[in-house]
């Protein structure tokens, strides 16, 4: 089976992770520009000041993407490039940069798929309380409107937010992302609600503009499965899915928060501070949501929590590793002997992907989906000067096959974006962990080089996935 002609083969990046040019051409500072410079916060003190200098090399990068046959490029806009203080005066040079990037994509027939918020918040807003402050919601809606007006004639796919669960939980539970607060579930839930409210307001504004494009948001997709068939572990998996999936997907797709979670939060005093008007708006916006983006790396294997578990964060392996307890100590994620893992202990499970997608279809029906991230973080081997990322080829091959399988089972998937188009800065893991089809040589002035996966993906796209192995 080939993928349909209107299925998009793409790859993704995020502004902070690729652009660099952190203070060039009037860009304002962000939460990450500050946080990454606090000693001990990132692996080897890496930061996005230069990253892979995509800001100055976007033409070369887009040309390589075109050579690969990429049909779509998902990138994010840095809010502080457009509005250096988060609101107020517009920085025209920021608008110019994204206009040029969009036009460069279109020159090669590459569909620009734009994320409005991939975690880099203008520092001025971080100082006002970031997403805990409802004024940030208003500032975001204004920023989004500026983007729609400036780019919406050529950009027909907008993603409002990337992975709310990550910036909320790492920001307020583990403390690994800005603002670095630990163990504060009250704030965590408040942030999630404020973001869903911002999403709802934004899509209502977008639809008023009649730009005839589509808008949605991207969530982490990490379906939870019990480690065995026992009742208590099945309960743990149900609980994990309610808190990590339903809490995030229901307000967007159904316009309502899940009863199960609401009841628990009421009991524990963790319910966000919300108004009837906000809840009504979330309900009204749900039918206007055009698609859901799923970022799939791995499922969760969970079991009932027993005894205390230490939360493990080390700087060379600071995200996504099993062994973490849920904030409410009901379940914990575990590593299983019969599963395969990456060098960073992320499970490799195309089967979990298919099973999770079916679970999603059962819960939400045939909603339109894009896989907006999927990929392998690895230390790629270099053999005689060539980047031989065969493990990445196998990973993407198997996950694209999973997408094919899910489509054949009636899941409505319209595109697949590999993470990432080019090697980039991992928020906490530096440059050691690579994801791209294009290698960046940090020893040779950020020279670009095609990896084995570049040639492989080019062929897969050209043949519309007919030749996937196995
Ligand atoms: C996703 C993010 O959560 O995971 C990306 O949207 C990130 O921005 C990717 O880079 C991989 O995470 P990590 O920690 O391996 O860099």
């Amino acid at each position: 089976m080939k993928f349909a002609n209107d299925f998009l083969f793409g790859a993704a990046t995020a502004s902070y992770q690729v652009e660099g040019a952190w203070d060039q051409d009037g860009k304002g500072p962000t939460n990450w520009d500050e946080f990454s410079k606090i000693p001990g916060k990132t692996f080897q003190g890496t930061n996005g000041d230069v990253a892979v200098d995509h800001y100055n090399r976007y033409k070369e990068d887009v040309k390589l993407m075109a050579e690969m046959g990429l049909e779509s490029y998902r990138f994010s806009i840095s809010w502080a490039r457009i509005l250096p203080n988060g609101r107020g005066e517009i920085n025209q040079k920021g608008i110019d940069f994204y206009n040029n990037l969009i036009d460069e994509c279109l020159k090669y027939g590459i569909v620009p798929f734009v994320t409005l918020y991939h975690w880099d918040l203008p520092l001025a807003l971080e100082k006002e309380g970031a997403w805990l402050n409802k004024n940030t919601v208003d500032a975001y809606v204004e920023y989004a409107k500026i983007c729609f007006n400036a780019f919406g004639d050529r950009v027909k796919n907008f993603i409002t937010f990337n992975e709310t669960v990550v910036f909320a939980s790492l920001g307020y539970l583990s403390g690994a992302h800005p603002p670095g607060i630990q163990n504060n579930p009250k704030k965590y839930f408040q942030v999630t609600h404020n973001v869903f409210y911002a999403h709802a307001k934004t899509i209502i504004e977008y639809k008023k503009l009649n730009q005839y494009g589509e808008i949605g948001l991207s969530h982490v997709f990490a379906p939870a499965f019990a480690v065995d068939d026992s009742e208590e572990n099945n309960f743990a998996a149900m609980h994990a899915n309610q808190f990590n999936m339903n809490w995030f997907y229901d307000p967007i797709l159904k316009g309502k928060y899940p009863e199960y979670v609401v009841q628990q939060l009421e009991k524990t005093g963790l319910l966000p501070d919300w108004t009837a008007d906000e809840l009504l708006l979330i309900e009204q916006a749900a039918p206007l949501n055009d698609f859901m983006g799923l970022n799939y790396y791995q499922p969760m294997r969970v079991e009932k929590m027993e005894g205390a578990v230490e939360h493990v964060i080390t700087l060379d392996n600071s995200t996504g590793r099993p062994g973490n307890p849920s904030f409410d100590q009901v379940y914990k994620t575990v590593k299983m002997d019969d599963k395969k893992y990456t060098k960073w202990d992320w499970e490799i499970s195309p089967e979990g992907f298919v099973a999770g997608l079916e679970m999603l279809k059962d819960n939400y029906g045939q909603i339109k989906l894009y896989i907006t991230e999927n990929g392998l973080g690895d230390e790629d081997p270099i053999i005689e000067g060539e980047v031989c990322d065969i493990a990445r080829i196998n990973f993407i091959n198997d996950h694209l096959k999973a997408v094919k399988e899910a489509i054949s089972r009636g899941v409505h998937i319209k595109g697949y974006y590999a993470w990432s188009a080019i090697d980039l800065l991992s928020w906490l893991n530096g440059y050691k962990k690579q994801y791209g089809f294009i290698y960046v040589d940090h020893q040779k002035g950020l020279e670009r080089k095609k990896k084995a996966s570049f040639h492989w993906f080019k062929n897969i796209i050209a043949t519309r996935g007919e030749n996937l192995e196995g």
Side-chain angles (χ1 to χ4, degrees):
M1 178 196 115
K2 288 184 179 185
F3 284 93
N5 284 337
D6 62 349
F7 179 94
L8 289 175
F9 284 99
T13 65
S15 50
Y16 181 74
Q17 297 180 274
V18 288
E19 284 180 5
W22 79 285
D23 62 351
Q24 200 176 320
D25 293 339
K27 175 181 166 289
T30 68
N31 54 347
W32 272 94
D33 291 327
E34 183 185 66
F35 186 80
S36 60
K37 287 167 195 155
I38 302 171
K41 293 292 185 192
T42 65
F43 177 62
Q44 292 178 341
T46 39
N47 64 50
D49 284 6
V50 178
V52 295
D53 199 26
H54 187 55
Y55 185 80
N56 293 303
R57 299 175 197 226
Y58 70 93
K59 284 193 179 173
E60 182 188 351
D61 293 341
V62 174
K63 190 165 180 234
L64 281 165
M65 292 179 207
E67 192 188 326
M68 198 172 25
L70 221 58
E71 296 172 331
S72 182
Y73 174 34
R74 174 183 174 228
F75 57 89
S76 79
I77 293 181
S78 175
W79 184 343
R81 243 183 234 299
I82 308 280
L83 294 161
N85 296 309
R87 56 168 80 86
E89 211 177 315
I90 297 176
N91 176 34
Q92 187 54 41
K93 288 199 169 155
I95 301 269
D96 294 346
F97 169 68
Y98 293 109
N99 268 330
N100 292 339
L101 176 58
I102 291 162
D103 290 344
E104 199 66 19
C105 288
L106 293 174
K107 182 169 119 188
Y108 296 105
I110 296 175
V111 174
F113 216 98
V114 170
T115 311
L116 294 171
Y117 186 79
H118 200 127
W119 311 349
D120 44 352
L121 182 72
L123 188 59
L125 300 178
E126 181 75 46
K127 298 289 179 201
E128 290 176 17
W131 291 105
L132 283 172
N133 185 338
K134 291 198 182 172
N135 292 332
T136 302
V137 174
D138 298 327
Y140 175 86
V141 177
E142 287 311 307
Y143 153 66
K145 277 178 11 194
I146 291 167
C147 292
F148 299 148
N149 285 319
F151 314 125
D153 57 334
R154 287 151 297 145
V155 173
K156 294 297 161 198
N157 296 281
F158 284 103
I159 292 170
T160 53
F161 289 93
N162 182 68
E163 298 188 350
T164 308
V165 68
V166 173
F167 66 88
S169 66
L170 275 66
Y172 297 90
L173 293 177
S174 76
H177 279 199
I181 292 172
Q182 288 183 324
N183 301 325
N184 198 321
K186 179 81 189 164
K187 289 187 173 168
Y188 163 75
F189 284 105
Q190 187 65 52
V191 165
T192 60
H193 168 69
N194 291 352
V195 169
F196 301 148
Y197 177 49
H199 168 79
K201 279 187 108 168
T202 304
I203 64 173
I204 288 172
E205 290 300 323
Y206 178 70
K207 294 295 170 178
K208 281 189 202 157
L209 296 172
N210 287 328
Q211 292 191 333
Y212 302 101
E214 300 204 333
I215 189 160
L217 97 177
S218 286
H219 271 326
V220 165
F221 184 54
F225 301 103
V227 292
D228 59 26
D229 266 347
S230 68
E231 205 177 308
E232 53 187 23
N233 290 334
N234 271 315
F235 174 80
M238 181 281 293
H239 186 89
N241 280 324
Q242 281 287 333
F243 274 79
N244 298 303
M245 189 158 344
N246 295 66
W247 178 260
F248 291 86
Y249 290 47
D250 284 18
I252 311 300
L253 298 172
K254 297 183 172 172
K256 277 190 176 25
Y257 287 101
E259 258 322 293
Y260 177 83
V261 182
V262 170
Q263 279 170 12
Q264 312 262 325
L265 298 185
E266 264 168 352
K267 273 191 240 152
T268 46
L270 295 175
L271 209 60
D273 158 28
W274 55 35
T275 66
D277 283 352
E278 288 166 10
L279 294 179
L280 183 65
L281 204 102
I282 287 176
E283 199 179 323
Q284 288 166 343
L288 303 176
N289 193 80
D290 295 303
F291 64 87
M292 175 76 84
L294 304 181
N295 294 355
Y296 177 79
Y297 289 89
Q298 57 174 338
M300 286 197 275
R301 305 291 169 185
V302 302
E303 65 182 28
K304 178 178 177 278
M305 168 93 182
E306 255 165 333
V309 178
E310 215 183 308
H311 202 97
V312 218
I313 297 183
T314 58
L315 280 183
D316 61 347
N317 192 357
S318 41
T319 44
R321 158 194 252 187
N324 287 328
S326 59
F327 79 94
D328 53 7
Q329 315 270 297
V330 173
Y331 68 88
K332 63 179 177 182
T333 57
V334 294
K335 190 170 174 183
M336 294 176 75
D337 291 342
D338 62 341
K339 309 289 179 211
K340 282 193 295 183
Y341 291 85
T342 72
K343 288 176 195 155
W344 273 262
D345 270 351
W346 293 27
E347 188 187 331
I348 301 177
S349 179
E351 312 75 40
F353 196 12
V354 179
L357 286 165
E358 281 210 290
M359 194 201 294
L360 198 71
K361 188 179 71 157
D362 293 345
N363 283 341
Y364 299 99
Q366 277 192 317
I367 45 165
K368 187 194 268 197
L369 300 171
Y370 287 92
I371 308 308
T372 42
E373 282 181 34
N374 174 245
L376 175 71
D378 205 357
E379 250 182 298
D380 297 331
I382 301 182
I383 302 165
E384 292 180 357
E386 296 300 319
V387 186
C388 299
D389 57 341
I390 309 305
R392 176 161 306 104
I393 291 175
N394 291 334
F395 182 100
I396 296 181
N397 182 83
D398 295 351
H399 286 78
L400 268 173
K401 264 178 27 199
V403 171
K404 230 186 216 186
E405 176 62 28
I407 292 174
S408 76
R409 295 188 197 179
V411 183
H412 186 36
I413 305 174
K414 295 297 292 175
Y416 172 92
Y417 292 75
W419 185 266
S420 50
I422 183 167
D423 281 351
L424 40 69
L425 174 70
S426 166
W427 300 88
L428 302 170
N429 301 155
Y431 297 103
K432 191 173 165 196
K433 190 184 199 183
Q434 296 132 26
Y435 281 94
F437 295 115
I438 300 165
Y439 173 77
V440 177
D441 194 335
H442 288 261
Q443 311 310 320
K444 281 199 196 157
L446 304 179
E447 193 180 282
R448 274 62 171 153
K449 197 175 165 87
K450 297 167 210 166
K451 300 186 190 179
S453 61
F454 179 103
H455 304 288
W456 174 83
F457 200 44
K458 181 178 175 151
N459 178 262
I460 292 298
I461 300 172
T463 53
R464 306 219 62 73
E466 199 178 18
N467 303 335
L468 289 166
E469 297 288 330

